[in-house]
Amino acid sequence: MNLFFAYKLFWLNYAEFKGRSVRWEFWYPLLWHIAVMSILTGITKLGDIFDLLGFNPTVGIIVVAVGNILLVLYEIAIILPCITVIVRRLHDMNVTGWIVLVGLIPAFGQAMILLLMCSKSSPGPNKYDSI
């Protein structure tokens, strides 16, 4: 499966809690998120570079503000799709989607969810859907 299709599928199923998602449907969009977040974080750091290069401080402040706004908007936009893909991924392992609430536990819960996302799919049909 290619990265572009996985990211498109991630956004097309942004509110779909039913069904199943295989491992690549979680991991490929995660790679996209890392890339997008890195770019947006880099934009927020441009203000420091502009200061070092001697640009007008106002330019740096505007670039940082725009970068921060874009970063926050992107983070808000991916909350629901991330939750739904994790729930579908849990369904693929024949586990209830309510386990996603474990991710609310700082550090430990998030590490547990990340480890669960590495698990293999349950073979054949299960109670959540059939492949």
Side-chain angles (χ1 to χ4, degrees):
M1 197 52 48
N2 74 38
L3 287 169
F4 296 107
F5 178 73
Y7 199 59
K8 179 182 173 185
L9 192 63
F10 173 81
W11 287 108
L12 288 174
N13 293 327
Y14 75 96
E16 184 63 47
F17 286 92
K18 295 180 181 180
R20 298 167 68 171
S21 289
V22 291
R23 280 187 279 198
W24 61 264
E25 289 181 61
F26 172 80
W27 289 105
Y28 285 0
L30 182 64
L31 291 174
W32 275 104
H33 297 319
I34 291 169
V36 170
M37 297 288 277
S38 297
I39 291 168
L40 292 175
T41 303
I43 290 172
T44 63
K45 302 298 179 194
L46 281 177
D48 297 334
I49 294 171
F50 285 160
D51 287 342
L52 289 174
L53 296 176
F55 281 89
N56 185 345
T58 309
V59 174
I61 292 170
I62 292 171
V63 169
V64 169
V66 168
N68 281 329
I69 290 169
L70 291 174
L71 187 63
V72 168
L73 290 175
Y74 183 74
E75 288 173 348
I76 291 169
I78 66 169
I79 290 172
L80 181 62
C82 285
I83 292 170
T84 59
V85 77
I86 291 170
V87 168
R88 289 193 315 270
R89 183 74 194 103
L90 290 168
H91 287 173
D92 190 49
M93 294 178 285
N94 206 16
V95 176
T96 180
W98 288 103
I99 298 294
V100 76
L101 296 176
V102 170
L104 294 174
I105 302 169
F108 172 76
Q110 295 157 359
M112 275 300 277
I113 294 294
L114 199 59
L115 288 173
L116 280 171
M117 296 300 104
C118 296
S119 300
K120 289 185 178 182
S121 303
S122 65
N126 67 25
K127 64 182 176 181
Y128 297 101
D129 203 359
S130 60
I131 293 180

